[in-house]
Each structure stands twice: as structure tokens, then as C-alpha cells.
Amino acid sequence: MKIGNFSKGAKVVAIAAAMVVTGTVAQAQSVNLTGSGASFPFPLYSAWFKDFGQKTGIQVNYQAKGSGGGIEDFTNGVVDFAASDAAMSEEELAKIEGGVVMLPMTAGEIVLAYNLDGVSELKLPRDVYPKIFLGEITKWNDAEIAAANEGVELPDETITVVVRSDSSGTNFNFTNHLSAISSDFESKVGGGKTVPWPNASNFVAAPGNQGITATIKQTPGAIGYIEYGYAQQTNTPYAMLENQAGNFVKAGPEAGSAALASAELDENNVAFIVDPAGDDSYPIATFTWMMFYKDAGQDAAKVDALKQMIEYGLTTGQTMADKLGYIPLPENVVETDKKSMEEIGG
């Protein structure tokens, strides 16, 4: 669908709306948990909640409707927890009576996935890929792309740029990275969960990581930004990106861990890494958070179930991360989370 015309996106929207995971209940249950938000960690959370449900009988219903939608649900008090790749802002936190506990639960990398027949390896310099998302480079055989890919036969084909149509934490992290490495991008588009993308004929929009992935797969010549695990699971090629040190790096567990190495959480357990240093660091990596109510008036059984779910995610859940395309949390972050979760429920 073209920017500003979403009528052709019904099928993709339907896919996104169907992204609801339910933990399998192996035992009689007395507590159900409901959450919503980020699509970025959905494949990992889906695996967690299924296994957690089988082991505990606690059913977790999670709807991957995007980080902005999850924060909205959390603010309206219609979920037990939310998930977002963009930690809540001070303004958003102020709307929650009783306070919020934010916990980084996993981390991942954002890759530039593409659909280019016959091109299995592609390098994109850091002064080039912002121009693609500014609509300034529009052909795959552009001289600036060709210069970084000697020997690769790039087609004389229009680049279809796929961007998010919904309020998105993946969008937040990707556009803040582009703003950090390109003053032109910062001044013309900027960073945020939603941004004013160029109103260009080669830009299309889709909801969720799953919607972007599906659109890239269906559109020859397309490029878009998705979580690494989505590219892995759908066998979608993704580019090597030039990092701050000038090295071309491919996303993966080692490059992602190198990017997180310098992160320091603040008093709200928040750290954004918009342009990580280090020879081996992949340039676009982020934590992703779950949000819980501090309010002491919550049902005690539900608070206990939430803490069981968090404990599972910080222990057994971390062992699943690498296989599904995510970065296991550093040990110091796990310990910080375990202390902070005691604040849930007062």
C-alpha cells in the first residue's frame, strides 16, 4: 500500500490482528494474564508463554499490536502488562497512578531486509542507507551502493522502501539510529514511534514486524527494517551495515552482544544505544521492555503470577533467545530486573 492509502493493506492488518498468543494450559488454572504491545519480541514471547503455560497452568494472552498500542492499553488499564521497544517517556509514566516498573526482558537487532533477485550479500555504508530512507537514493544500481558492492550485479530497479504504518518501538529505535548518523535525516524526518516519512511514490507502509516482513517477501526490489529473528525465521536476506568504526558487520549474537556491552541502565532501567562504539558492534541494537503496575492495590494472586512469568523470562526464557534471533540479557541486567520486580504490587 502506498503511503496515505491503506486500503490494500487489509490482508496484512488481518495478519497482525491475528498475532495473539495463548499459553497452553496443562493444569487447572485460576489466574490468567493479559498483555499487549511490541511485535519486535513476539516470536520469543510466544515461545515463552507457551512453555510457561504448560509448566505452570498460568495462561498468558499477548497481542502483538505494536509498542504504541501496548502503552495505550497499559495507560487505559485494560491489560496486566505491556511490552515496548521504546521505554515509556517521563510524560507517559506520569499518567500511571501508583507508578510503573519497567524491565528490559530481552534485546535484539534491527536489520535491513531486502528482496533482490540474485543478490545474496549486500553491503550498505552508513552514509548511504539513511539516503534510501530519505527517498534520495531510489535505484538499486545507484553509484553509491555499487561502490560498496564491487562485483555484485545490482539491477536497474526502483527501491521500494517499506516503513511502519503503526506506532512502533522498532520504528523508534530505527529512526533514532538514522538521526544519530545523519543530520539530514534528523532534520527532515527525525526519530519517534511514528515519523513523517517522505511522501514518495516508492514508499509503502505496513503494520508490525510481521507486516513489514510479509511486504518485503511479496515485493521484488523492496527493503525494510525488521527484527533479526524475523529475517532468520523467514529466510529473508539482510544487509551488512557499516558501523561507527567503519567496519561492515552482519547481525548475529556476537555482534549484538558487542553493541550492548556499553549500555548503562538509568534509574528507570532504560538505556538506548543509538550508535554503538566498538570494532565488532552491529550498529542497530536495542533492549525491549515489559511494563508493570507498581500499584499496591492489585490482586495478590495476579501479582504472584506476574512475578512467576518474569522469573521464567529471566532464567529459562534467556536460554531460548539466541536460537530465536534475540540477544540474551547481560547478567548485570538480569540481576537488576530481579531486584526491580519486587516493586510490582507495592
Side-chain angles (χ1 to χ4, degrees):
M1 56 186 171
K2 300 295 183 187
I3 294 287
N5 177 6
F6 300 101
S7 61
K8 295 180 181 178
K11 187 176 294 183
V12 176
V13 171
I15 293 171
M19 295 294 280
V20 179
V21 63
T22 301
T24 301
V25 181
Q27 310 168 23
Q29 61 182 34
S30 58
V31 179
N32 293 335
L33 300 175
T34 301
S36 68
S39 64
F40 182 91
F42 177 79
L44 181 62
Y45 288 174
S46 175
W48 286 6
F49 298 152
K50 181 178 180 180
D51 187 53
F52 176 69
Q54 290 172 337
K55 290 177 175 173
T56 65
I58 299 170
Q59 186 180 36
V60 184
N61 300 297
Y62 180 77
Q63 186 173 10
K65 61 195 307 183
S67 296
I71 290 174
E72 183 176 358
D73 285 349
F74 188 72
T75 303
N76 292 332
V78 298
V79 291
D80 299 309
F81 70 94
S84 176
D85 314 320
M88 292 175 72
S89 65
E90 292 292 337
E91 182 180 1
E92 291 169 333
L93 290 170
K95 296 177 181 177
I96 310 298
E97 188 176 353
V100 179
V101 177
M102 289 195 289
L103 303 178
M105 294 300 292
T106 189
E109 297 150 282
I110 297 171
V111 301
L112 295 186
Y114 61 91
N115 181 344
L116 209 51
D117 189 34
V119 178
S120 58
E121 185 170 300
L122 180 71
K123 294 178 181 176
L124 291 176
R126 63 197 270 118
D127 63 345
V128 169
Y129 59 87
K131 293 180 183 177
I132 294 175
F133 286 87
L134 281 170
E136 295 174 357
I137 292 179
T138 59
K139 291 283 190 179
W140 279 109
N141 64 348
D142 183 278
E144 291 188 76
I145 300 177
N149 293 276
E150 188 176 349
V152 178
E153 192 169 338
L154 295 166
D156 181 14
E157 184 174 5
T158 297
I159 300 173
T160 298
V161 181
V162 189
V163 298
R164 289 288 288 266
S165 62
D166 53 333
S167 180
S168 157
T170 308
N171 204 73
F172 176 90
N173 287 290
F174 180 59
T175 56
N176 275 296
H177 166 72
L178 294 181
S179 295
I181 66 171
S182 166
S183 57
D184 275 355
F185 190 90
E186 183 179 28
S187 62
K188 294 176 181 177
V189 178
K193 290 196 283 288
T194 60
V195 295
W197 290 109
N199 187 20
S201 61
N202 66 316
F203 276 56
V204 300
N209 274 269
Q210 60 274 28
I212 294 258
T213 304
T215 303
I216 294 169
K217 296 284 283 185
Q218 296 164 7
T219 311
I223 189 169
Y225 47 98
I226 56 176
E227 202 283 326
Y228 167 62
Y230 283 84
Q232 289 286 87
Q233 292 169 36
T234 59
N235 292 317
T236 306
Y238 51 95
M240 298 175 70
L241 301 183
E242 184 184 11
N243 66 14
Q244 189 183 129
N247 299 322
F248 286 95
V249 179
K250 196 157 192 175
E254 294 180 358
S257 295
L260 294 182
S262 60
E264 293 186 11
L265 302 180
D266 67 12
E267 67 276 12
N268 290 321
N269 295 337
V270 175
F272 294 119
I273 318 146
V274 295
D275 187 24
D279 289 349
D280 301 321
S281 296
Y282 184 74
I284 320 176
T286 179
F287 291 108
T288 183
W289 290 262
M290 285 187 184
M291 290 84 170
F292 303 90
Y293 300 104
K294 277 188 181 178
D295 184 9
Q298 296 179 76
D299 177 80
K302 185 157 286 190
V303 170
D304 180 68
L306 287 168
K307 290 181 178 179
Q308 288 187 56
M309 181 189 77
I310 295 166
E311 180 70 23
Y312 172 91
L314 295 176
T315 53
T316 304
Q318 294 302 307
T319 67
M320 301 179 183
D322 189 1
K323 184 178 179 181
L324 291 172
Y326 294 84
I327 309 167
L329 292 175
E331 189 57 37
N332 65 314
V333 175
V334 171
E335 293 306 312
T336 297
D337 280 353
K338 287 183 176 180
K339 292 177 183 174
S340 296
M341 78 173 183
E342 296 306 319
E343 300 177 35
I344 298 170

